[in-house]
Amino acid sequence: MATAVTVPMAAAVQRWEVRDWARRAWSLSPVLAVIGLLLVPAAGGAEGGTGGTGGLADAASGLLVLICLVRVLRSGARPLTRAAAVVIGLPVLGICLAAITSSDPAASLPGVARYLQVFVLVPAAVLLMIRDRRDFALVAWALVGLALLQGAVGVTQYLTGTGASYMGEDIRAVGTFGPTDVMGMATVVSYGLVIVTGIALGSGRGRVRTAALVCAGLLFLPLMLSFSRGAWIATVLAIAIQLVLSGLRRAGRVALVTGALAVVLVGGLGVGSAMVKERVTSITQVAGAPDQSVTDRYTMWAAAGRMWRSDPLTGVGLKGFPAYRDSNASLALSSGSDTAGAGALFRRQPLLSPHNMYLLVLSEQGLVGLLTLAGGWTALLVGALRRRAWGADCALIAIGLLSWQLIDFFYADIGGPSTVLMSVVFGLAAWWSLSAVKRA
């Protein structure tokens, strides 16, 4: 008799769980739409388009902000805590000051809109859309799903020779982002790998942890085939931070498993082994015999430094780096980088940023802009660390994502379709760091 009663009750609980997740997905649909639209290839890739989905995803992010605003006005409640309002709103000061003091304020207006979208409005909207840990988990798993799908496209590109051009072969895994945004897929896959690592380390034994470990194994290969040195470095360091926070003994075991997986995939199966080895070796050759891409990056870093020294407090103005680049860069800078493959024709892509977010902000917004932006990011990281005991899985995810992004900013900046996803990640981490989260 007990069995006859227990089985229907278990089925009823499962049906309630399904309905609960469906309601949550509907409530979070504006956020999930931004994530999902990054799967849609941009039109005109063969004609040298953006090779990504910036238009659709950015439009969806604008709709997300609008829907969030309507919800806040209808509820009549105070939307953000005082601390959250200060941390998220702090970059507005540096952004607006840089635009006002720019030599061409009209040219800076698009930069104002972009910076406010990426670092203020979308993160705030994501923070307000997420209500509890289950909403946090839903958005996190949606990011993992995007990473798996983009990774599958990238692996297919490598195996079929339909990826972006790399060392004379169309084998670089770029997903649906195209050859002009080669960091797009690498960024998405890295986010997914960091998230599932946090879930695996923070969850107890069970199906969730097993699923996270399986996803980690699946995401490792496309990350390697992206041939993105920056993504490799940021991912290794972010996961190392997560492992140390979860315990040194566990960190040692996971490091051994990861090393074995790398040996099997790259060494044993020979998946891109020669090119991966060459790419890894090039990381240590940046001082001795750097390739042209490294030389260009160092040259643009030096140019950004010269721009900042000319206007230390407020910089040369938003969107000002391209205009001041040639007058501050040495002759070692090339005219641009070659892009081809993944459905696009050969084109020369101009170098319009220093590929270092901190130097980009410093050159265009000065010390005021850098302190307000980086100060907000640091506050998010400190908040995530302070709440570690409130929930291991959420904390490790937030810390891992923030660590990855802040490390990646040393050799990358905003630009391309994946930028809007970065704003979603900041919002996800901000919810854990700044919202009224209850202890586990």
Side-chain angles (χ1 to χ4, degrees):
M1 187 66 180
T3 303
V5 173
T6 303
V7 172
M9 287 181 62
V13 170
Q14 290 178 351
R15 286 196 297 270
W16 182 86
E17 288 282 344
V18 171
R19 288 197 296 268
D20 178 58
W21 285 111
R23 285 194 296 268
R24 290 177 183 277
W26 173 252
S27 177
L28 291 168
S29 57
V31 181
L32 301 180
V34 175
I35 297 172
L37 285 173
L38 284 166
L39 284 169
V40 182
E47 288 75 31
T50 61
T53 54
L56 286 175
D58 282 325
S61 72
L63 186 60
L64 162 64
V65 173
L66 183 61
I67 292 173
C68 181
L69 179 62
V70 171
R71 288 186 182 182
V72 169
L73 293 176
R74 290 181 61 185
S75 69
R78 183 176 179 177
L80 296 171
T81 64
R82 185 175 301 174
V86 170
V87 171
I88 294 181
L90 193 60
V92 177
L93 173 64
I95 293 168
C96 294
L97 185 62
I100 294 171
T101 58
S102 170
S103 60
D104 189 356
S108 295
L109 286 179
V112 174
R114 186 60 164 167
Y115 272 86
L116 291 179
Q117 172 206 9
V118 173
F119 296 115
V120 180
L121 297 177
V122 174
V126 174
L127 186 157
L128 294 172
M129 283 284 184
I130 298 175
R131 298 165 298 177
D132 53 30
R133 296 170 191 265
R134 289 197 172 192
D135 282 358
F136 182 97
L138 184 57
V139 176
W141 278 109
L143 290 169
V144 174
L146 173 66
L148 289 170
L149 292 171
Q150 288 286 0
V153 174
V155 172
T156 302
Q157 289 171 333
Y158 173 82
L159 295 175
T160 59
T162 56
S165 178
Y166 178 74
M167 296 182 67
E169 300 181 59
D170 293 343
I171 57 169
R172 189 169 190 175
V174 293
T176 63
F177 293 98
T180 58
D181 187 18
V182 294
M183 278 292 293
M185 189 213 73
T187 298
V188 172
V189 170
S190 298
Y191 286 157
L193 193 53
V194 169
I195 289 171
V196 294
T197 300
I199 293 172
L201 295 174
S203 303
R205 298 182 184 275
R207 289 178 294 179
V208 173
R209 187 179 182 186
T210 301
L213 291 173
V214 170
C215 291
L218 293 174
L219 292 172
F220 179 83
L221 182 57
L223 179 60
M224 295 300 295
L225 297 180
S226 70
F227 299 110
S228 173
R229 293 170 293 197
W232 293 349
I233 295 171
T235 304
V236 169
L237 294 179
I239 291 178
I241 292 170
Q242 290 176 309
L243 288 170
V244 170
L245 292 175
S246 67
L248 294 178
R249 183 177 298 179
R250 176 182 286 180
R253 291 199 301 266
V254 174
L256 289 174
V257 172
T258 304
L261 181 63
V263 169
V264 170
L265 287 177
V266 179
L269 300 180
V271 180
S273 56
M275 292 184 179
V276 169
K277 182 179 179 181
E278 183 275 336
R279 197 67 166 167
V280 171
T281 304
S282 69
I283 296 175
T284 63
Q285 294 176 338
V286 293
D291 56 32
Q292 186 59 48
S293 66
V294 175
T295 300
D296 286 340
R297 188 160 301 187
Y298 281 177
T299 304
M300 290 189 293
W301 289 2
R306 294 188 187 97
M307 292 179 204
W308 168 67
R309 285 191 290 272
S310 66
D311 292 280
L313 286 180
T314 58
V316 298
L318 292 170
K319 295 290 185 178
F321 184 89
Y324 287 86
R325 183 198 65 181
D326 291 342
S327 60
N328 288 276
S330 69
L331 295 177
L333 183 66
S334 67
S335 60
S337 59
D338 298 337
T339 62
L345 300 175
F346 173 85
R347 62 175 296 188
R348 191 76 171 164
Q349 188 173 359
L351 303 172
L352 302 177
S353 71
H355 293 290
N356 180 305
M357 190 65 200
Y358 304 108
L359 289 177
L360 176 63
V361 174
L362 192 63
S363 63
E364 293 189 344
Q365 300 180 43
L367 278 175
V368 175
L370 182 63
L371 290 176
T372 53
L373 266 172
W377 301 334
T378 303
L380 291 180
L381 186 58
V382 171
L385 287 167
R386 290 180 62 185
R387 294 184 171 188
R388 234 184 342 141
W390 295 17
D393 51 352
C394 294
L396 289 175
I397 290 171
I399 293 168
L401 289 174
L402 287 170
S403 300
W404 189 95
Q405 196 61 67
L406 297 185
I407 293 168
D408 183 71
F409 275 162
F410 280 103
Y411 32 78
D413 48 47
I414 59 174
S418 58
T419 299
V420 71
L421 191 65
M422 180 186 68
S423 63
V424 173
V425 164
F426 271 122
L428 190 68
W431 178 84
W432 176 253
S433 300
L434 301 173
S435 67
V437 182
K438 295 181 180 179
R439 286 179 179 270

